[in-house]
Amino acid sequence: MSDNSDSQNLANNQAGAEIYDASKIQKLEGLEGVRKRPDMYIGDTNERGLHHCVFEIVDNCIDEALAGFAHAVQVTIHLDGSCSVSDDGRGIPVDEHAVYKMPALELVLTNLHAGGKFGKGAYQVSGGLHGVGAKCVNAVSEWFVAEVRRNGKVHQMRFAQGKTTQKMLIIGDTKKTGTKITFKPDPVIFLTTREFQYEILAKRLRELAFLNPGVRIELEDERSEKSDSFYFKDGITEFVLYLNQNKTVLHDKPITFSDSAPNETNPDLPNIVVDVSMQYSDSYNDQVFAYANSIYNIEGGTHLSGFRTALTRVINSFAKANNLLKDKDPAITGDDVREGLVAVISVKVPEPRFEGQTKTKLSNGEVDGIVQRIVGEKLRIALETTPGLAKRIIDKTLMAARAREAARKARETIRKGALSGRGLPGKLADCSERDPELTEIYIVEGDSAGGSAKQGRDRRFQAILPLRGKLINSEKAQLDKVLNNEEIRTLITAIGTGIGTGEDESAFNVAKTRYHKIIIMTDADVDGSHIRTLLLTFLYRQMRGLFDMGYIYIAQPPLYKIKRKRREQYIDNDEQLNRILLELGTEDVVLTRLKDNHVFTPALIDKVVENLSALEKLGGGVTRYGASLAAYLEAHDHETHALPRYIARIRIGSVESHVFLRDEEARGRFIQENGLDADLFDQPDNAAAPADKNNPNPKRITIHEIFEGNEMVKLLKATAEIGLDINRFTATEEPRFVITENPGLKSEIKTSLHSPLEIVTHIRTLGRKGLSIQRYKGLGEMNPKQLFETTMDPAKRRLLKVSVNDAAKADALFTLLMGDEVPPRRRFIEDNALNVQYLDV
């Protein structure tokens, strides 16, 4: 009976199962594979992958510089969230490929593993080597525009989500060469964030300028009007000096050397080039940055291991050979020789091998030996020729070894205390959950706020650790002194990871952390900021891995408390305050379209205000060139809502006017009709006639592309669908809308409006009526219930994750704010005093 039943079940399963044959095999065409699995190509689809897209394009520009053809790179973040990257290199080839019968430009931007970096005909050394960089960015972009200056012409192609939307066409003449890529990240791919962070981009571009002396790299953010220009004639020597600014160095001039050696595994390739610059200071921390072909290898690799091995060996050998290391002294380790060291290692490898497309680790085995030989020989010569410098370095190393032993004993004492019957600190109010992934600890300033936090918390997963008074400044004190501080010992025991480096059980191990969210919660005043900085300094110096894992957060108590009638609300920032003003402004109002007395529903009024507010914000891309936003919006096509792509700005003396140019064809005609320089594409400021005695105020014309136009078109379409009349944006003599406050009541007020943009301005004014705004400072101003609801409730709170995207800048800032040098700190305060928004006195 059972045999028959099993046979029947088997037959039924086979009949119902899908047949796995050739028809189930898929081949993804073009760049579909990138869109299906973007993490494989750009690392992830979060903040890291977003910025990696910019770096892929910039790396191509730097490859042109490494080949000797480019000298300037420009990166611009536009108001609509798009980004442009341009260089003055040779320009991507635009002639037709003999085999694939399409322009080379289209081939390299739409086909994986197509590029000029596989053979070494076009590039001897490059950072891009997989042939996937630019086309991957194309694949994950909502739209992507390539403009190439080459062969006396400006060539342009447009793409969307990796597919060609505009075949290559010529849009002008030029005497220049180079490539300009503009792209906007696709919201379908980047679900978490599509907002470029200025500091992340600045850090990378600054690095590239250091690593490529003589190349000027400019960054501009049109959203905040920030800009930087990076140019360093002395390369990594200046990099090391930058990293050591505000520190007391042991030698004024960095030890810098450069050499090359043949690639023993493949002698036919060009030599591997090694550049090193290093300098010691009296600090207790080290910073060693390793780069391969200008790409920062965050996980190091064979060049870093070769440097570390050579450094330890040379200093040990020199100390023993010159009788500077006594029998009673502790053995010198790699950690000791690196204390206080800042070093940059840059290698140029003809055929580098990296672990992954994001190139976090160099894996060429031959590089280790080459770096060891070059560093060993050059550093030995430097120490032998400057014995005074050598003695200072070795004295520093011996001090580090003795302090390491003292700190190890102190750490061991803390560890034994935690494992003994005393257990966790008494002031720690722990949570009941034991899975670190589900728990969080609030480090709170003072017992009073700690008491409120303990009462208001969710005991299941939230732990509270109140710290009393100021912590010791770990930037100024050696580690063994820091570990004698009771508050520090309590903090180390509560977190559970141990601290510092080394092989013993008390050394830092991120896997031992008891909480995956470590949240610093202090008052929004001077004392609170100081305590927060002291905490961050200690955690950064001794538990750096917590930052790398994303476990450190800062609680964000609300900035304001607003009151209006019965409404009371906490506000986190100025942007949220602006949104609240618009919300309040639309309460108890009626919007009427006068031409037919159409009354908008409250929900539609909210949508109208939201769209117009967004148009106003994006309109900064127009008004920064002196043009009227209303006039620009009025120039839209009434059927498609398409906006002009360019604005021509015409200035004669103090008189200014503007012409809107719909597309490349209109722009070309305008250039020809006005007899402008053919290089207007590259040099936007042009004079139709030179200034002279007879014509002191020549006509000057600038042409600007409005990248924000695409987003504005979407908003225009949405606003038109709501029913708002948007054919005229400039003010008319006759009123077109009426806003009625408190309709039907005695206090009813009617206001006539003459243009759509006046609606959002008037609504914002109404939002401020009867509103009181109170600046919030201390945690103690809220009871336990309010503290939980505003600052501790996972559903409502706002946490700031502390990531160290620019370790060099973070290190320099901690040194400046918390170190011994007073004059640089005073200059920093003087330079930034006027930038302070809120000051507690």
Side-chain angles (χ1 to χ4, degrees):
M1 183 71 176
S2 62
D3 288 346
N4 291 338
S5 175
D6 289 343
S7 299
Q8 185 64 40
N9 287 338
L10 180 60
N12 290 339
N13 288 339
Q14 288 175 337
E18 286 192 22
I19 298 171
Y20 179 56
D21 58 16
S23 67
K24 300 300 183 291
I25 306 300
Q26 289 182 302
K27 180 181 183 297
L28 298 175
E29 298 297 328
L31 299 175
E32 290 177 36
V34 181
R35 290 186 64 80
K36 284 276 188 183
R37 301 286 185 270
D39 294 28
M40 289 176 57
Y41 298 91
I42 59 172
D44 62 38
T45 54
N46 301 316
E47 186 176 78
R48 179 186 172 195
L50 177 73
H51 293 86
H52 186 75
C53 288
V54 181
F55 302 149
E56 284 284 5
I57 305 297
V58 171
D59 285 346
N60 289 339
C61 302
I62 294 301
D63 288 341
E64 278 290 281
L66 288 172
F69 297 104
H71 305 90
V73 179
Q74 171 78 45
V75 179
T76 306
I77 311 167
H78 303 293
L79 279 171
D80 65 338
S82 62
C83 180
S84 294
V85 181
S86 63
D87 66 49
D88 60 349
R90 290 170 289 185
I92 299 172
V94 292
D95 50 312
E96 185 175 279
H97 195 279
V99 175
Y100 298 101
K101 304 302 179 184
M102 66 170 67
L105 175 62
E106 185 171 11
L107 180 66
V108 300
L109 292 177
T110 58
N111 287 266
L112 283 177
H113 311 297
K117 300 169 187 176
F118 296 108
K120 291 301 170 187
Y123 297 93
Q124 291 293 318
V125 172
S126 67
L129 68 155
H130 298 145
V132 298
K135 63 270 295 171
C136 286
V137 180
N138 187 5
V140 298
S141 295
E142 180 181 345
W143 53 263
F144 183 103
V145 181
E147 293 179 353
V148 176
R149 304 184 295 275
R150 191 178 171 102
N151 305 329
K153 301 291 182 182
V154 182
H155 305 79
Q156 184 189 77
M157 283 196 77
R158 293 182 179 271
F159 308 84
Q161 299 180 333
K163 296 179 180 177
T164 305
T165 57
Q166 173 195 291
K167 288 293 186 181
M168 191 177 74
L169 54 86
I170 294 172
I171 63 169
D173 299 324
T174 181
K175 297 173 185 174
K176 306 286 184 179
T177 61
T179 302
K180 179 179 180 182
I181 300 293
T182 306
F183 69 96
K184 184 168 185 198
D186 191 344
V188 175
I189 301 292
F190 298 97
L191 301 175
T192 308
T193 180
R194 287 179 291 130
E195 186 173 342
F196 292 111
Q197 299 297 317
Y198 185 88
E199 292 302 328
I200 295 177
L201 296 177
K203 177 249 182 182
R204 174 64 181 147
L205 299 181
R206 187 190 304 112
E207 282 180 350
L208 286 170
F210 279 127
L211 295 164
N212 296 276
V215 178
R216 184 176 300 279
I217 305 178
E218 296 183 342
L219 172 63
E220 181 184 2
D221 188 345
E222 293 176 350
R223 303 166 304 180
S224 62
E225 298 185 357
K226 284 184 181 178
S227 64
D228 275 296
S229 180
F230 305 114
Y231 177 83
F232 305 104
K233 184 180 177 183
D234 294 326
I236 60 172
T237 301
E238 287 189 72
F239 197 174
V240 168
L241 292 171
Y242 166 79
L243 294 168
N244 266 334
Q245 59 185 325
N246 305 320
K247 295 179 184 177
T248 302
V249 295
L250 300 189
H251 47 111
D252 292 335
K253 191 176 179 182
I255 302 169
T256 302
F257 47 83
S258 178
D259 205 347
S260 65
N263 187 332
E264 294 176 0
T265 61
N266 194 341
D268 295 333
L269 290 174
N271 284 3
I272 292 173
V273 178
V274 179
D275 295 299
V276 176
S277 187
M278 52 188 285
Q279 186 181 39
Y280 280 90
S281 74
D282 66 355
S283 70
Y284 307 121
N285 309 285
D286 70 282
Q287 289 177 282
V288 182
F289 295 93
Y291 298 84
N293 296 359
S294 297
I295 295 168
Y296 175 45
N297 310 121
I298 192 170
E299 295 180 39
T302 50
H303 47 349
L304 180 60
S305 61
F307 172 79
R308 285 179 166 177
T309 301
L311 178 69
T312 306
R313 186 179 66 240
V314 168
I315 289 183
N316 259 305
S317 299
F318 189 90
K320 290 172 182 175
N322 290 274
N323 202 29
L324 297 174
L325 190 63
K326 310 298 182 187
D327 292 339
K328 62 180 181 180
D329 289 322
I332 294 176
T333 68
D335 287 336
D336 301 328
V337 300
R338 291 193 299 273
E339 183 179 287
L341 172 68
V342 163
V344 176
I345 306 113
S346 175
V347 297
K348 302 289 192 301
V349 185
E351 287 192 357
R353 294 188 300 277
F354 297 104
E355 293 187 8
Q357 163 63 12
T358 51
K359 308 177 182 100
T360 55
K361 189 173 184 180
L362 182 70
S363 57
N364 294 64
E366 68 275 14
V367 172
D368 188 306
I370 289 173
V371 172
Q372 277 198 51
R373 288 198 301 276
I374 290 174
V375 172
E377 179 185 342
K378 299 288 186 181
L379 183 57
R380 178 181 55 79
I381 293 171
L383 295 179
E384 288 175 351
T385 54
T386 51
L389 167 62
K391 187 174 186 310
R392 288 197 296 276
I393 290 174
I394 289 165
D395 286 345
K396 165 74 174 171
T397 300
L398 285 171
M399 283 179 61
R402 295 176 191 125
R404 173 175 50 80
E405 281 297 301
R408 184 188 61 77
K409 291 174 183 176
R411 287 202 308 267
E412 190 63 23
T413 302
I414 295 171
R415 188 183 71 85
K416 286 179 179 177
L419 295 177
S420 66
R422 287 186 294 166
L424 293 169
K427 60 168 62 180
L428 171 69
D430 208 1
C431 52
S432 56
E433 177 63 58
R434 288 291 170 260
D435 184 350
E437 291 188 16
L438 304 176
T439 62
E440 55 193 40
I441 182 172
Y442 277 84
I443 303 170
V444 186
E445 170 191 354
D447 291 334
S448 173
S452 292
K454 286 177 184 178
Q455 293 177 55
R457 69 178 173 139
D458 188 325
R459 297 169 183 268
R460 292 172 303 158
F461 65 93
Q462 291 181 323
I464 308 296
L465 178 65
L467 296 180
R468 184 184 300 172
K470 297 273 173 54
L471 295 177
I472 186 172
N473 185 349
S474 56
E475 190 71 24
K476 290 184 177 181
Q478 270 196 317
L479 184 56
D480 54 327
K481 303 290 192 303
V482 171
L483 295 180
N484 285 328
N485 180 271
E486 187 61 35
E487 300 298 295
I488 290 288
R489 294 164 77 99
T490 299
L491 181 65
I492 295 169
T493 305
I495 292 174
T497 57
I499 61 165
T501 57
E503 301 298 325
D504 57 275
E505 289 185 58
S506 60
F508 176 79
N509 182 351
V510 74
K512 293 181 179 178
T513 183
R514 301 183 63 248
Y515 314 92
H516 280 192
K517 276 192 172 72
I518 298 164
I519 304 165
I520 300 171
M521 186 164 70
T522 60
D523 287 344
D525 59 13
V526 171
D527 283 343
S529 298
H530 190 199
I531 291 168
R532 184 168 61 246
T533 307
L534 288 166
L535 273 167
L536 287 171
T537 302
F538 174 75
L539 294 171
Y540 178 77
R541 294 302 189 198
Q542 298 302 328
M543 302 180 182
R544 170 70 187 275
L546 295 174
F547 292 90
D548 297 334
M549 295 298 291
Y551 293 168
I552 304 294
Y553 296 82
I554 295 174
Q556 299 286 283
L559 277 180
Y560 306 106
K561 183 164 67 176
I562 64 169
K563 287 184 180 180
R564 183 180 184 183
K565 298 179 182 176
R566 295 182 180 178
R567 180 169 179 169
E568 184 174 302
Q569 189 172 348
Y570 288 100
I571 304 296
D572 293 329
N573 51 48
D574 289 318
E575 187 175 341
Q576 188 182 356
L577 177 62
N578 190 46
R579 286 199 304 270
I580 293 292
L581 290 176
L582 293 176
E583 285 178 23
L584 292 173
T586 57
E587 290 180 357
D588 300 321
V589 302
V590 169
L591 174 64
T592 305
R593 188 173 61 206
L594 286 179
K595 71 176 183 179
D596 55 5
N597 289 321
H598 172 75
V599 177
F600 291 85
T601 65
L604 287 182
I605 294 175
D606 289 341
K607 198 64 185 171
V608 164
V609 170
E610 181 185 332
N611 289 348
L612 292 175
S613 178
L615 275 172
E616 197 178 57
K617 185 176 180 180
L618 287 170
V622 175
T623 57
R624 69 171 172 265
Y625 301 125
S628 159
L629 174 59
Y632 176 74
L633 292 174
E634 199 164 296
H636 74 275
D637 183 287
H638 290 180
E639 291 184 10
T640 65
H641 300 291
L643 285 160
R645 189 167 285 163
Y646 300 96
I647 292 179
R649 186 179 189 181
I650 305 167
R651 284 162 287 177
I652 304 175
S654 60
V655 179
E656 184 170 311
S657 61
H658 299 83
V659 175
F660 302 124
L661 306 171
R662 188 154 298 281
D663 50 28
E664 282 79 15
E665 187 179 342
R667 176 184 166 278
R669 283 199 308 270
F670 181 84
I671 290 175
Q672 191 173 14
E673 289 167 1
N674 285 274
L676 299 176
D677 188 333
D679 276 325
L680 190 65
F681 169 82
D682 186 56
Q683 302 283 340
D685 221 3
N686 283 267
D692 55 35
K693 286 186 294 184
N694 299 323
N695 186 19
N697 294 312
K699 181 192 290 186
R700 300 196 66 81
I701 298 178
T702 313
I703 295 183
H704 306 275
E705 184 168 1
I706 306 303
F707 295 99
E708 298 77 15
N710 290 322
E711 287 301 305
M712 295 168 88
V713 168
K714 295 177 188 177
L715 291 166
L716 286 175
K717 287 179 179 177
T719 307
E721 287 170 4
I722 292 169
L724 198 72
D725 177 12
I726 59 169
N727 287 342
R728 289 289 303 276
F729 271 91
T730 54
T732 55
E733 289 186 13
E734 294 297 320
R736 295 166 58 197
F737 308 97
V738 166
I739 286 184
T740 306
E741 303 169 56
N742 306 317
L745 302 177
K746 288 183 179 179
S747 57
E748 179 180 283
I749 301 173
K750 290 181 180 288
T751 305
S752 298
L753 304 175
H754 297 257
S755 77
L757 291 175
E758 286 182 19
I759 295 173
V760 71
T761 305
H762 187 67
I763 290 290
R764 200 177 282 121
T765 302
L766 294 180
R768 288 192 175 272
K769 278 191 176 181
L771 186 71
S772 70
I773 304 175
Q774 176 189 343
R775 171 82 170 105
Y776 166 81
K777 289 182 184 177
L779 298 171
E781 294 178 21
M782 290 187 285
N783 62 40
K785 184 173 181 291
Q786 289 173 319
L787 183 60
F788 179 77
E789 288 177 348
T790 62
T791 315
M792 299 178 68
D793 182 358
K796 298 178 183 177
R797 71 187 178 190
R798 194 168 62 97
L799 296 180
L800 178 67
K801 181 186 279 191
V802 185
S803 61
V804 186
N805 294 310
D806 190 346
K809 198 167 186 179
D811 186 276
L813 192 59
F814 280 125
T815 300
L816 183 143
L817 294 176
M818 310 305 291
D820 288 319
E821 295 296 307
V822 176
R825 183 157 55 248
R826 181 183 295 118
R827 283 195 300 273
F828 176 84
I829 293 169
E830 289 170 351
D831 291 344
N832 290 278
L834 296 179
N835 297 330
V836 175
Q837 287 183 285
Y838 309 110
L839 184 61
D840 174 69
V841 292

